Amino acid sequence: MKNSMKKIWISLFTVLLGLHVANAKPKKPKYKKPKKVIFLIGDGMGLAQITGAMADNTAINAFERFPIIGLSKTKSSDNFVTDSGAGATVFSIGKKSYNGAIGVDSAGKEYDGLFEMLKDKGWGTGVVVTSSITHATPAAFYAHVGSRKSEDEIAEFLIRNHCDIAIGGGIKYFKDRKDKRDLLEELKEKGYTTIVDSSEIKSVEAKKLIYLLANDGMKKESEGRGDYLKKATEIAINNLSRNEEGYFLMVEGSQIDWGGHANDFQYMKSELLDFNQTLNAVLDYAAKDGNTLVVVTADHETGGLSLIENKENKSTFKVNYSSGGHSGIMVPVFAYGPGAELFSGIYENTEIHYKFKKLLNIK
Ligand code: MG
Ligand code: ZN
């Protein structure tokens, strides 16, 4: 009796000691690190836009597939209400800047963006948009200029080779320039496959690709853009997958914002549903892949949209815009996949940049 009690005490002590030793070992990071990142920006997409567009829609609500939600504070360095230049610059270089800035800080100083840092590590990079590829949001990822309006100058930054894939509109900034240069010829010399074709998007295999489908912005979804955004995203993913180290792809639903500026709810809604369809495809891919982090957010809300009571039909809502511009309300952040946990909570938009850096092992 006495002996067996002694044995029990000894084994209990051994177990506890074992646990203590196991705990003393250096802890592994609590989160996994992704090999690929797909960062989707719904320009001008706040909670009212998502709620309103998805309200009577039968498609799978991609936003409800994300396990992690956060909120991003969007003010710029000179305005509580940001524009898309400052709003995307912050994701790329991690510094608040003035409205209109592209990849420069509030003093106009250039800083390397995520794409430059990732190219140094051998990663692939790309942008897919429904605006011109030289528009403020995509530009902030590969260019550094004082003003978003300098789209001729922004286009020249693609020659620096920090963006492997760019799909969207903007033919005139490459072929019909003030300085008469043919940038597509110059990009070919740098090893890019260049395509100018304003008909339907077709698959193409190329590690470096500039694919232009419109003279400036792409046409509206409601005017027959079809499932361009989803297809272009798939083409970008297929081609970026050739980069064995990994890749970072930015996909923008550019015109959600344009519908907001026009206070045109149906325009905004069709653009957001198109974005939702693309999100579903990206989430399906990420679920199969297992190494892909998907993050979705907005640069700001557009239109000061609210959904108010409809006294004539109380099961639905009335659309109420309070502005033709942007608003300063926080925007949602949705995350899925390895490292997604880092995106929960409330933080400044600068933090999104630093969370990516942490997950991508960038000093
Ligand atoms: Mg934009
Ligand atoms: Zn806007």
Side-chain angles (χ1 to χ4, degrees):
M1 192 67 182
K2 234 183 171 183
N3 247 345
S4 63
M5 274 302 279
K6 204 172 171 186
K7 269 183 197 162
I8 288 169
W9 279 114
I10 286 169
S11 50
L12 189 62
F13 178 75
T14 315
V15 167
L16 286 173
L17 185 70
L19 281 176
H20 177 77
V21 170
N23 273 335
K25 277 182 194 162
K27 278 182 186 159
K28 283 182 193 165
K30 281 190 218 94
Y31 47 87
K32 272 176 67 188
K33 295 195 170 180
K35 293 274 286 176
K36 304 156 191 176
V37 177
I38 305 177
F39 182 37
L40 299 105
I41 300 174
D43 197 315
M45 185 184 73
L47 278 180
Q49 282 76 8
I50 297 171
T51 311
M54 302 310 293
D56 60 351
N57 173 40
T58 52
I60 294 168
N61 187 330
F63 301 94
E64 294 178 3
R65 295 175 66 186
F66 288 88
I68 302 291
I69 316 290
L71 290 170
S72 163
K73 300 183 194 177
T74 65
K75 70 173 187 286
S76 66
S77 70
D78 68 343
N79 202 319
F80 189 79
V81 179
T82 189
D83 87 313
S84 297
T89 289
V90 87
F91 300 141
S92 179
I93 71 169
K95 293 177 193 306
K96 297 260 188 192
S97 194
Y98 57 90
N99 285 4
I102 299 294
V104 297
D105 74 355
S106 56
K109 187 172 184 289
E110 269 189 39
Y111 286 88
D112 273 358
L114 286 176
F115 279 18
E116 280 119 335
M117 298 172 195
L118 286 168
K119 287 313 294 175
D120 287 344
K121 285 162 52 83
W123 279 47
T125 55
V127 296
V128 170
V129 298
T130 57
S131 59
S132 63
I133 62 172
T134 47
H135 210 259
T137 310
F141 284 84
Y142 64 80
H144 307 276
V145 293
S147 166
R148 58 183 289 171
K149 289 180 188 147
S150 315
E151 286 191 71
D152 272 17
E153 205 185 317
I154 287 167
E156 291 166 33
F157 277 85
L158 285 165
I159 291 167
R160 294 195 185 182
N161 256 319
H162 290 129
C163 180
D164 297 318
I165 309 263
I167 311 178
I171 298 166
K172 67 176 184 177
Y173 306 110
F174 294 82
K175 302 279 295 176
D176 184 19
R177 298 166 50 82
K178 283 181 216 97
D179 62 11
K180 303 289 173 211
R181 279 166 72 183
D182 183 342
L183 283 193
L184 290 181
E185 276 307 312
E186 293 181 37
L187 282 159
K188 256 187 225 164
E189 280 161 28
K190 293 280 178 182
Y192 282 88
T193 297
T194 62
I195 302 176
V196 174
D197 180 0
S198 39
S199 65
E200 210 180 313
I201 189 162
K202 295 162 198 79
S203 339
V204 45
E205 306 229 322
K207 199 172 176 189
K208 299 176 81 62
L209 172 68
I210 307 291
Y211 196 155
L212 302 175
L213 295 101
N215 199 36
D216 201 346
M218 299 286 299
K219 57 178 142 180
K220 296 176 181 178
E221 194 279 336
S222 62
E223 287 172 354
R225 200 173 67 226
D227 55 358
Y228 152 79
L229 187 62
K230 179 173 159 253
K231 279 190 187 152
T233 302
E234 285 164 354
I235 291 168
I237 288 173
N238 285 340
N239 285 312
L240 287 170
S241 297
R242 297 155 189 263
N243 295 283
E244 279 166 22
E245 294 300 317
Y247 66 79
F248 188 107
L249 171 64
M250 192 287 289
V251 177
E252 187 196 21
S254 319
Q255 298 191 33
I256 297 168
D257 175 65
W258 302 358
H261 283 292
N263 287 5
D264 181 341
F265 184 77
Q266 289 308 321
Y267 180 11
M268 184 286 294
K269 180 178 172 177
S270 61
E271 294 298 327
L272 198 144
L273 291 180
D274 180 51
F275 189 67
N276 178 67
Q277 184 194 26
T278 304
L279 277 184
N280 274 319
V282 166
L283 285 171
D284 291 346
Y285 166 80
K288 254 187 238 149
D289 180 70
N291 285 314
T292 304
L293 169 66
V294 183
V295 178
V296 183
T297 191
D299 44 1
H300 53 73
E301 190 272 351
T302 304
L305 176 63
S306 58
L307 311 175
I308 57 174
E309 186 184 16
N310 181 356
K311 293 211 165 70
E312 284 87 58
N313 181 357
K314 290 185 179 165
S315 65
T316 174
F317 56 86
K318 260 193 180 154
V319 165
N320 182 48
Y321 282 102
S322 61
S323 168
H326 303 159
S327 81
I329 195 169
M330 291 190 284
V331 292
V333 182
F334 304 87
Y336 174 100
E341 312 85 293
L342 262 66
F343 291 86
S344 76
I346 299 181
Y347 39 81
E348 290 292 337
N349 53 6
T350 34
E351 287 306 307
I352 293 175
H353 169 89
Y354 292 103
K355 290 174 197 299
F356 281 140
K357 271 176 93 170
K358 194 170 177 183
L359 288 168
L360 300 171
N361 296 320
I362 300 171
K363 294 274 149 56

